[in-house]
Amino acid sequence: DVVNSASAVAVQIAELRDWKLDGVCATGRVFNHPSIGDGDVIVTSALRNPGGAREGEIVQTESGSQYMLGTPQVSTSGGQA
């Protein structure tokens, strides 16, 4: 079944939540990673297409890792007086 196959693949992809772009890398809290604890903050290696990074998209790094992008970090715009 195609739906079940897609679900099985999605389970293997780590998710980044509260993420933001730092140049061509993404920083965020990782979940479902095979060797990093849930909620740990990571910085990815360079993304292959940082311009395509948005919530709900799967991004791939230059090293081949893939991440599903969850909710991005809420930006706090404005300055202090």
Side-chain angles (χ1 to χ4, degrees):
D1 185 349
V2 174
V3 174
N4 288 338
S5 296
S7 297
V9 170
V11 170
Q12 297 174 9
I13 296 176
E15 180 183 2
L16 271 186
R17 299 180 194 164
D18 299 327
W19 60 272
K20 66 176 182 174
L21 284 180
D22 289 323
V24 296
C25 300
T27 301
R29 294 185 306 125
V30 70
F31 293 85
N32 300 319
H33 193 282
S35 61
I36 300 173
D38 282 352
D40 284 357
V41 175
I42 65 165
V43 179
T44 68
S45 56
L47 301 178
R48 289 191 177 177
N49 181 16
R54 56 185 140 275
E55 186 174 357
E57 294 293 323
I58 295 173
V59 293
Q60 187 168 16
T61 66
E62 292 290 343
S63 65
S65 298
Q66 292 184 318
Y67 298 93
M68 169 67 77
L69 296 178
T71 306
Q73 190 176 82
V74 176
S75 65
T76 54
S77 58
Q80 294 189 1

